[in-house]
Structure formats: C-alpha cells, structure tokens
Coordinates of all heavy atoms in Angstrom, one line a residue:
R628 N 14.1 -66.2 43.6 CA 15.1 -67.2 43.9 C 15.2 -68.2 42.9 O 14.3 -68.5 42.0 CB 14.8 -67.8 45.2 CG 13.6 -68.7 45.2 CD 13.2 -69.3 46.6 NE 12.1 -70.2 46.5 CZ 11.3 -70.5 47.6 NH1 11.5 -69.9 48.7 NH2 10.3 -71.3 47.5
S629 N 16.3 -69.0 42.8 CA 16.7 -70.0 41.9 C 15.8 -71.2 42.0 O 15.1 -71.5 43.0 CB 18.1 -70.4 42.2 OG 18.5 -71.5 41.3
G630 N 15.7 -71.9 40.7 CA 14.9 -73.1 40.7 C 15.9 -74.2 40.4 O 15.4 -75.4 40.2
W631 N 17.2 -74.1 40.5 CA 18.2 -75.1 40.4 C 18.2 -76.2 41.4 O 17.7 -75.9 42.5 CB 19.7 -74.7 40.2 CG 19.9 -74.0 39.0 CD1 19.3 -72.9 38.3 CD2 21.0 -74.3 38.1 NE1 20.0 -72.5 37.2 CE2 20.9 -73.5 36.9 CE3 22.0 -75.3 38.1 CZ2 21.9 -73.4 35.9 CZ3 22.9 -75.3 37.1 CH2 22.8 -74.5 35.9
T632 N 18.4 -77.4 41.2 CA 18.5 -78.4 42.1 C 19.7 -79.3 41.9 O 20.5 -79.1 41.1 CB 17.1 -79.3 41.9 OG1 17.3 -79.9 40.5 CG2 15.9 -78.7 42.2
L633 N 19.9 -80.2 42.9 CA 20.9 -81.3 42.8 C 20.4 -82.5 42.0 O 19.2 -82.9 42.2 CB 21.3 -81.6 44.2 CG 21.5 -80.6 45.2 CD1 21.8 -81.2 46.7 CD2 22.8 -79.8 44.8
D634 N 21.2 -82.9 41.1 CA 20.8 -83.9 40.0 C 20.8 -85.3 40.6 O 21.9 -85.7 41.0 CB 21.6 -83.7 38.7 CG 21.0 -84.4 37.7 OD1 20.0 -85.0 37.7 OD2 21.6 -84.3 36.4
T635 N 19.8 -86.0 40.6 CA 19.6 -87.4 40.9 C 19.9 -88.4 39.7 O 20.0 -89.6 39.9 CB 18.4 -87.8 41.7 OG1 17.3 -87.5 40.8 CG2 18.1 -87.0 42.9
T636 N 19.9 -87.8 38.5 CA 19.9 -88.6 37.3 C 21.5 -88.9 36.9 O 21.8 -89.9 36.5 CB 19.1 -88.1 36.3 OG1 17.8 -87.9 36.7 CG2 19.2 -88.9 34.9
D637 N 22.2 -87.7 36.8 CA 23.5 -87.7 36.4 C 24.5 -87.8 37.6 O 25.0 -86.9 38.1 CB 23.8 -86.5 35.6 CG 25.2 -86.5 34.9 OD1 25.9 -87.5 35.0 OD2 25.6 -85.4 34.3
G638 N 24.7 -89.1 38.1 CA 25.4 -89.1 39.4 C 24.4 -89.5 40.5 O 23.3 -89.7 40.3
P639 N 25.0 -89.6 41.7 CA 26.3 -89.4 42.2 C 27.3 -90.4 41.6 O 26.9 -91.6 41.3 CB 26.4 -89.4 43.6 CG 24.8 -89.3 44.0 CD 24.1 -89.8 42.8
D640 N 28.6 -90.1 41.5 CA 29.6 -91.0 41.1 C 30.9 -90.8 41.9 O 31.5 -89.8 41.9 CB 29.9 -90.7 39.5 CG 30.9 -91.7 38.9 OD1 31.7 -92.3 39.6 OD2 30.8 -91.8 37.7
P641 N 31.3 -92.0 42.5 CA 32.6 -91.8 43.4 C 33.9 -91.7 42.5 O 34.8 -91.4 43.2 CB 32.5 -93.1 44.3 CG 31.7 -94.0 43.3 CD 30.8 -93.3 42.6
N642 N 33.8 -91.9 41.3 CA 35.1 -92.0 40.5 C 35.1 -91.0 39.4 O 35.9 -91.2 38.4 CB 35.1 -93.4 39.8 CG 35.1 -94.5 41.0 OD1 36.0 -94.5 41.9 ND2 34.2 -95.5 40.9
D643 N 34.3 -89.9 39.5 CA 34.3 -89.0 38.4 C 34.4 -87.6 38.9 O 33.4 -86.8 39.0 CB 33.0 -89.1 37.6 CG 33.1 -88.2 36.2 OD1 34.1 -87.6 36.1 OD2 32.2 -88.3 35.5
P644 N 35.7 -87.1 39.2 CA 35.9 -85.7 39.7 C 35.7 -84.7 38.7 O 35.8 -83.5 39.0 CB 37.3 -85.8 40.1 CG 38.0 -86.9 39.3 CD 37.0 -87.9 39.0
S645 N 35.3 -85.0 37.5 CA 35.0 -83.9 36.5 C 33.6 -83.4 36.8 O 33.2 -82.4 36.2 CB 35.0 -84.4 35.1 OG 34.1 -85.5 34.8
N646 N 32.8 -84.1 37.7 CA 31.5 -83.7 38.1 C 31.5 -82.3 38.8 O 32.6 -82.0 39.4 CB 30.8 -84.6 38.9 CG 30.2 -85.8 38.1 OD1 30.4 -85.7 36.9 ND2 29.6 -86.7 38.6
Q647 N 30.5 -81.6 39.0 CA 30.5 -80.2 39.5 C 30.6 -80.1 40.9 O 31.2 -79.1 41.5 CB 29.2 -79.5 39.0 CG 29.2 -79.3 37.5 CD 27.9 -78.6 37.0 OE1 26.8 -79.1 37.3 NE2 27.9 -77.5 36.2
L648 N 30.1 -81.1 41.6 CA 30.0 -81.0 43.0 C 30.7 -82.2 43.8 O 30.8 -83.2 43.3 CB 28.4 -81.0 43.5 CG 27.6 -80.0 42.9 CD1 26.1 -80.3 43.3 CD2 28.0 -78.5 43.2
L649 N 31.0 -81.9 45.2 CA 31.3 -83.0 46.0 C 30.4 -83.0 47.1 O 30.1 -82.0 47.8 CB 32.8 -82.7 46.6 CG 33.2 -83.7 47.7 CD1 33.6 -85.0 47.2 CD2 34.5 -83.1 48.4
I650 N 29.8 -84.2 47.4 CA 28.8 -84.4 48.4 C 29.4 -84.5 49.8 O 30.3 -85.4 50.0 CB 27.8 -85.7 48.1 CG1 27.3 -85.5 46.7 CG2 26.8 -85.8 49.2 CD1 26.6 -86.8 46.3
K651 N 29.1 -83.6 50.7 CA 29.8 -83.6 52.0 C 28.9 -84.4 53.0 O 29.4 -85.2 53.9 CB 29.9 -82.1 52.4 CG 30.9 -81.3 51.8 CD 32.3 -81.9 51.9 CE 32.9 -81.7 53.3 NZ 33.3 -80.4 53.7
R652 N 27.6 -84.1 53.1 CA 26.7 -84.8 54.1 C 25.3 -84.3 53.9 O 24.9 -83.3 53.2 CB 27.1 -84.3 55.5 CG 27.1 -82.9 55.8 CD 27.8 -82.5 57.2 NE 27.7 -81.0 57.4 CZ 28.6 -80.2 56.8 NH1 29.5 -80.6 56.1 NH2 28.4 -78.9 57.1
L653 N 24.3 -85.0 54.6 CA 22.9 -84.6 54.7 C 22.9 -83.4 55.5 O 23.6 -83.2 56.5 CB 22.1 -85.7 55.1 CG 20.7 -85.4 55.2 CD1 20.0 -85.5 53.8 CD2 19.8 -86.3 56.1
Y654 N 22.1 -82.4 54.9 CA 21.9 -81.2 55.8 C 21.1 -81.4 57.0 O 20.0 -82.1 56.9 CB 21.2 -80.1 55.0 CG 20.9 -78.9 55.6 CD1 22.0 -78.0 56.1 CD2 19.6 -78.4 55.9 CE1 21.6 -76.8 56.7 CE2 19.3 -77.2 56.5 CZ 20.4 -76.4 57.0 OH 20.1 -75.2 57.5
A655 N 21.6 -81.1 58.2 CA 21.0 -81.5 59.5 C 19.9 -80.4 59.8 O 20.2 -79.2 60.1 CB 22.0 -81.5 60.6
A656 N 18.7 -81.0 59.7 CA 17.4 -80.1 60.0 C 16.4 -81.0 60.4 O 16.2 -82.1 59.9 CB 17.1 -79.2 58.8
P657 N 15.5 -80.6 61.2 CA 14.3 -81.5 61.8 C 13.4 -81.9 60.5 O 12.7 -82.9 60.6 CB 13.6 -80.6 62.8 CG 14.6 -79.6 63.3 CD 15.4 -79.4 62.1
D658 N 13.3 -81.0 59.6 CA 12.3 -81.2 58.5 C 13.1 -81.8 57.2 O 12.6 -81.7 56.1 CB 11.7 -79.9 58.1 CG 12.6 -78.8 57.6 OD1 13.8 -79.0 57.9 OD2 12.1 -77.8 57.1
N659 N 14.2 -82.4 57.4 CA 15.0 -83.0 56.3 C 15.5 -84.4 56.6 O 15.9 -84.7 57.6 CB 16.3 -82.0 56.1 CG 17.0 -82.4 54.8 OD1 16.3 -82.6 53.8 ND2 18.2 -82.4 54.9
E660 N 15.2 -85.2 55.6 CA 15.6 -86.7 55.8 C 15.9 -87.1 54.4 O 15.6 -86.6 53.3 CB 14.5 -87.5 56.4 CG 13.1 -87.5 55.5 CD 12.0 -88.2 56.1 OE1 12.0 -88.4 57.4 OE2 11.1 -88.7 55.5
I661 N 16.8 -88.3 54.4 CA 17.2 -88.9 53.2 C 16.0 -89.4 52.4 O 15.1 -90.0 52.9 CB 18.1 -90.0 53.4 CG1 19.5 -89.5 53.9 CG2 18.4 -90.9 52.2 CD1 20.4 -90.7 54.3
G662 N 15.9 -89.0 51.1 CA 14.8 -89.4 50.2 C 14.6 -88.2 49.2 O 15.4 -87.4 49.0
A663 N 13.4 -88.3 48.6 CA 13.1 -87.4 47.5 C 13.1 -85.9 48.1 O 12.6 -85.7 49.1 CB 11.7 -87.6 46.9
Y664 N 13.7 -85.0 47.3 CA 13.7 -83.6 47.8 C 14.6 -83.3 49.0 O 14.4 -82.2 49.6 CB 12.3 -83.0 47.9 CG 11.5 -83.2 46.7 CD1 10.2 -83.8 46.9 CD2 11.8 -82.9 45.5 CE1 9.3 -84.0 45.9 CE2 11.0 -83.1 44.3 CZ 9.8 -83.7 44.6 OH 8.9 -84.0 43.5
A665 N 15.5 -84.3 49.4 CA 16.3 -84.1 50.4 C 17.4 -82.8 50.2 O 17.7 -82.6 49.1 CB 17.0 -85.2 50.9
R666 N 17.7 -82.3 51.3 CA 18.7 -81.1 51.2 C 20.2 -81.6 51.6 O 20.2 -82.4 52.6 CB 18.3 -79.9 52.0 CG 17.2 -79.2 51.4 CD 16.6 -78.2 52.5 NE 15.8 -78.8 53.5 CZ 15.5 -78.4 54.6 NH1 15.9 -77.2 55.0 NH2 14.5 -79.1 55.4
W667 N 21.0 -81.4 50.8 CA 22.5 -81.9 51.1 C 23.4 -80.8 51.0 O 23.2 -79.8 50.5 CB 22.8 -83.0 50.0 CG 22.1 -84.2 50.0 CD1 20.8 -84.4 49.5 CD2 22.4 -85.5 50.7 NE1 20.4 -85.8 49.8 CE2 21.4 -86.4 50.5 CE3 23.6 -85.8 51.3 CZ2 21.3 -87.7 50.9 CZ3 23.6 -87.2 51.8 CH2 22.6 -88.1 51.7
V668 N 24.6 -81.0 51.8 CA 25.6 -80.1 51.9 C 26.7 -80.6 50.9 O 27.1 -81.7 50.9 CB 26.3 -80.0 53.3 CG1 27.4 -79.1 53.2 CG2 25.3 -79.7 54.3
V669 N 27.1 -79.6 50.0 CA 28.0 -79.8 48.9 C 29.0 -78.7 48.9 O 28.9 -77.6 49.3 CB 27.3 -80.0 47.6 CG1 26.2 -81.2 47.7 CG2 26.7 -78.6 47.2
M670 N 30.1 -79.0 48.1 CA 31.0 -78.1 47.7 C 31.2 -78.1 46.2 O 31.0 -79.1 45.6 CB 32.5 -78.4 48.4 CG 32.5 -78.2 49.9 SD 34.1 -78.5 50.6 CE 35.0 -76.9 50.1
I671 N 31.7 -76.8 45.7 CA 31.8 -76.9 44.2 C 33.1 -77.6 43.9 O 34.1 -77.1 44.4 CB 31.8 -75.4 43.8 CG1 30.4 -74.8 44.0 CG2 32.2 -75.5 42.2 CD1 30.4 -73.3 43.7
N672 N 33.1 -78.6 43.2 CA 34.3 -79.5 42.9 C 34.9 -78.8 41.6 O 36.2 -78.6 41.6 CB 33.9 -80.8 42.7 CG 35.1 -81.7 42.5 OD1 36.0 -81.8 43.4 ND2 35.2 -82.4 41.5

C-alpha cells in the first residue's frame, strides 16, 4: 500500500485553487479526531 499523506506544510490555502486537493470534511470514525495524523475527506481539485 501507498505511503503518501496529506501535506500539512504546503497549505491548506483557501485562495490557491492550483493546489491538488479540496478539503471536504474530517473523516467520521470513532478512532479519528482533529490533530496529528487525522484522516480527512478530500476531492482531487
């Protein structure tokens, strides 16, 4: 499986649609919360 992650260094940016992803929401799961290593729902922008 992949080792790619969502980048916390380059963005997020509300004003740069040249970025690769659009953030939709936090992934709803009992073992997931906002913070380091959180899982998020995104779309390819």
Side-chain angles (χ1 to χ4, degrees):
R628 71 184 180 204
S629 175
W631 284 59
T632 56
L633 308 175
D634 194 357
T635 59
T636 303
D637 187 6
D640 188 336
N642 301 308
D643 191 357
S645 67
N646 284 358
Q647 295 175 306
L648 306 172
L649 173 69
I650 303 171
K651 293 292 296 286
R652 60 188 177 276
L653 183 73
Y654 178 64
D658 61 346
N659 189 46
E660 60 185 26
I661 291 175
Y664 309 124
R666 287 166 284 160
W667 292 83
V668 177
V669 299
M670 292 183 74
I671 298 174
N672 186 58

